[in-house]
Amino acid sequence: MFKRLVARPNEILNVRTEVIAGVTTFLASMYIIVVNPTILSKAGMPFNAVLTATVLVSAFSSIAMGIYAKNPILLAPGMGLNAFFTYSVVLGMHVDYRVALGAVFWSGVIFIVLSVWNVRTAIVKAIPQQLRFAVAGGIGLFISLIGFENARFIVSNRATILSFASLNVVTVTFALGLFITAVLVARRIRGALILGIALTTLLAIPIGRLYGDATSFYGQATLVNWKGLFSMPDFSLFFKLDFIHSLRWSMWPVIFVFLFADMFDSLSTFIGVAEAGDLLDEKGEPLNIKESLIVDACSTAISGLFGTSSGTSYIESATGIEEGGRTGLTAVVAGLLFLPFIFFAPLLSIVPALATAPALVLVGVFMMQPITKIHWTQYDDAIPAFLAMILIPFTYSITQGLIWGFLSWSVIKWLAGKKEEVSPMLWAIDVFAVLALLLK
């Protein structure tokens, strides 16, 4: 039965390893269950209804990824896409959230068409391998930055943009958790990231109780809190999207941005985790890319139907891949773990963002390996690769890193007399990249 979840025909399935990997991926991504409703509720959407939609989209999409695409990649409503939905579309353009949900749905429909017709697969093949290596490293840096930010170890600073916060109860607890997890990883202990998350959670329990206070960091004195066990699901946003008004001419730029951002976020995630986890076929392409992209597209479409912003592939899947996840069973396990939280969402408060931060930081280490394959002494390769890699964390956007990587590759190669290294598909991608920048 489990063999149906294996992407490579001759690959040996280690069920225990895949289950551990699935649990690790879920623990690194479960923050979205609470974070997504928090952001979308500012658009006037009921918090509990968005939470229910988030759980169901994450569960169904991830399970589909495992069964149909056989890849160990979790899907859930995307960070960045939810912020665009709320702040740019609903609040900035004064669009009713039902109309915005319709735009999400139609972007998913277009996404499905592009995936079925292999247009997205052609796009993947048009991305130069040097940029793929860079994107993998850039995503690693991005994940690490998210981890440091979640731990309040790195904070904003008007004078220096970013800076180290200071030694305090939160940063010291994070550092201890990071060192413990790093030692477990270095000693190659099975389930090191899960153990690190659990141990960091235990270290955080005394904060606000026996010593310290986390109010200035997280808005509450304690980090590990019991907020109950049970809550009823809310289906009030199901099929509340506005199909008709979301197709007005004024909404097409919104649909395009949803489509473009989701498409390149998912493409770069597939490429990044495939390079880092050696999930490549004999031609060096990500395994089962067409099937994976179809699942990703369907995730976006059902997001609009269920009542949340676009679903997409999660870069946190790299945590499970590092634990040894190589088959669809990892994604199925992660997806199934979402389902109980339709009823038991309050349990998530037990594991704070501080506890998952060390795991996210270490994933950055794991994902830096592909950058050793970049031709650093060949500057027409190195400069675009560097821009793609460094702009992902610096702009806090995978899409921006990929866009500027594409544009710089095409321009530099053309002017350096190597225009044969820029395919017609890549030139087409460049056109849409420029449009995305203008419409942003």
Side-chain angles (χ1 to χ4, degrees):
M1 171 179 150
F2 289 139
K3 276 293 181 184
R4 297 177 183 174
L5 303 176
V6 178
R8 291 189 177 98
N10 298 322
E11 188 168 17
I12 298 175
L13 176 66
N14 186 321
V15 174
R16 181 172 179 270
T17 297
E18 298 293 326
V19 169
I20 290 175
V23 174
T24 304
T25 297
F26 170 76
L27 289 174
S29 309
M30 68 183 186
Y31 66 86
I32 197 62
I33 300 177
V34 174
V35 173
N36 195 51
T38 299
I39 293 174
L40 294 186
S41 62
K42 292 173 177 154
M45 303 168 72
F47 183 95
N48 289 336
V50 178
L51 189 149
T52 299
T54 301
V55 168
L56 292 179
V57 167
S58 304
F60 294 161
S61 303
S62 300
I63 292 170
M65 177 65 76
I67 294 175
Y68 179 65
K70 302 180 179 64
N71 267 324
I73 297 174
L74 176 143
L75 295 95
M79 291 296 293
L81 289 165
N82 51 14
F84 175 73
F85 181 103
T86 298
Y87 298 108
S88 297
V89 180
V90 177
L91 299 180
M93 298 175 60
H94 305 291
V95 172
D96 186 273
Y97 71 77
R98 299 169 188 83
V99 176
L101 288 174
V104 169
F105 170 76
W106 290 119
S107 72
V109 171
I110 299 171
F111 218 159
I112 293 171
V113 172
L114 293 177
S115 299
V116 171
W117 285 356
N118 279 336
V119 174
R120 292 178 70 187
T121 307
I123 291 173
V124 173
K125 292 179 179 179
I127 299 174
Q129 195 170 49
Q130 292 290 297
L131 290 185
R132 298 186 191 190
F133 299 147
V135 167
I139 290 175
L141 293 173
F142 187 30
I143 295 176
S144 291
L145 178 60
I146 292 172
F148 282 120
E149 182 187 38
N150 287 350
R152 304 300 188 267
F153 192 85
I154 291 178
V155 295
S156 61
N157 185 308
R158 287 188 176 182
T160 60
I161 305 177
L162 295 177
S163 67
F164 168 64
S166 64
L167 284 178
N168 54 64
V169 66
V170 170
T171 54
V172 169
T173 301
F174 162 73
L176 289 173
L178 178 61
F179 294 150
I180 291 171
T181 309
V183 170
L184 294 173
V185 169
R187 294 179 66 88
R188 301 191 181 278
I189 303 297
R190 179 75 68 176
L193 297 182
I194 292 180
L195 288 172
I197 291 170
L199 291 171
T200 308
T201 299
L202 292 175
L203 290 172
I205 291 175
I207 296 176
R209 293 184 173 91
L210 301 180
Y211 52 76
D213 187 315
T215 303
S216 60
F217 306 101
Y218 298 98
Q220 54 190 26
T222 57
L223 292 180
V224 182
N225 301 293
W226 176 261
K227 294 184 179 178
L229 179 65
F230 182 84
S231 64
M232 287 297 294
D234 181 350
F235 299 102
S236 62
L237 282 175
F238 267 47
F239 297 95
K240 294 298 183 182
L241 67 166
D242 189 328
F243 289 101
I244 305 301
H245 289 94
S246 57
L247 287 175
R248 292 177 302 186
W249 284 114
S250 61
M251 289 302 296
W252 276 100
V254 174
I255 293 173
F256 173 77
V257 174
F258 274 132
L259 173 66
F260 188 89
D262 188 14
M263 180 167 66
F264 282 102
D265 268 5
S266 59
L267 286 174
S268 55
T269 298
F270 284 131
I271 291 168
V273 298
E275 291 290 347
D278 191 29
L279 298 171
L280 304 169
D281 60 21
E282 62 278 1
K283 296 179 181 179
E285 302 294 339
L287 287 170
N288 296 340
I289 184 65
K290 178 180 178 180
E291 294 82 356
S292 298
L293 295 174
I294 289 174
V295 172
D296 194 288
C298 291
S299 179
T300 296
I302 66 170
S303 294
L305 294 173
F306 287 5
T308 181
S309 53
S310 306
T312 191
S313 301
Y314 256 47
I315 54 178
E316 285 84 354
S317 302
T319 58
I321 291 171
E322 174 55 29
E323 285 291 354
R326 293 294 183 274
T327 75
L329 183 56
T330 293
V332 171
V333 170
L336 290 173
L337 288 173
F338 274 98
L339 288 175
F341 292 97
I342 295 178
F343 302 99
F344 300 108
L347 281 174
L348 291 173
S349 60
I350 294 176
V351 181
L354 177 67
T356 59
L360 294 176
V361 170
L362 291 176
V363 166
V365 178
F366 311 145
M367 295 195 69
M368 292 303 289
Q369 297 176 27
I371 71 169
T372 60
K373 301 175 185 178
I374 295 174
H375 303 148
W376 290 112
T377 57
Q378 189 171 321
Y379 295 123
D380 54 312
D381 284 355
I383 293 172
F386 177 77
L387 289 175
M389 180 179 69
I390 209 68
L391 285 175
I392 289 175
F394 281 3
T395 62
Y396 214 77
S397 169
I398 298 174
T399 299
Q400 288 298 316
L402 208 52
I403 285 174
W404 290 105
F406 291 155
L407 294 177
S408 60
W409 178 277
S410 301
V411 171
I412 291 172
K413 289 291 184 181
W414 180 271
L415 296 179
K418 297 182 179 180
K419 61 182 180 181
E420 69 279 358
E421 295 187 33
V422 185
S423 67
M425 176 60 77
L426 187 53
W427 282 119
I429 293 171
D430 290 337
V431 172
F432 283 102
V434 172
L435 287 173
L437 291 172
L438 294 175
L439 291 171
K440 185 174 175 61

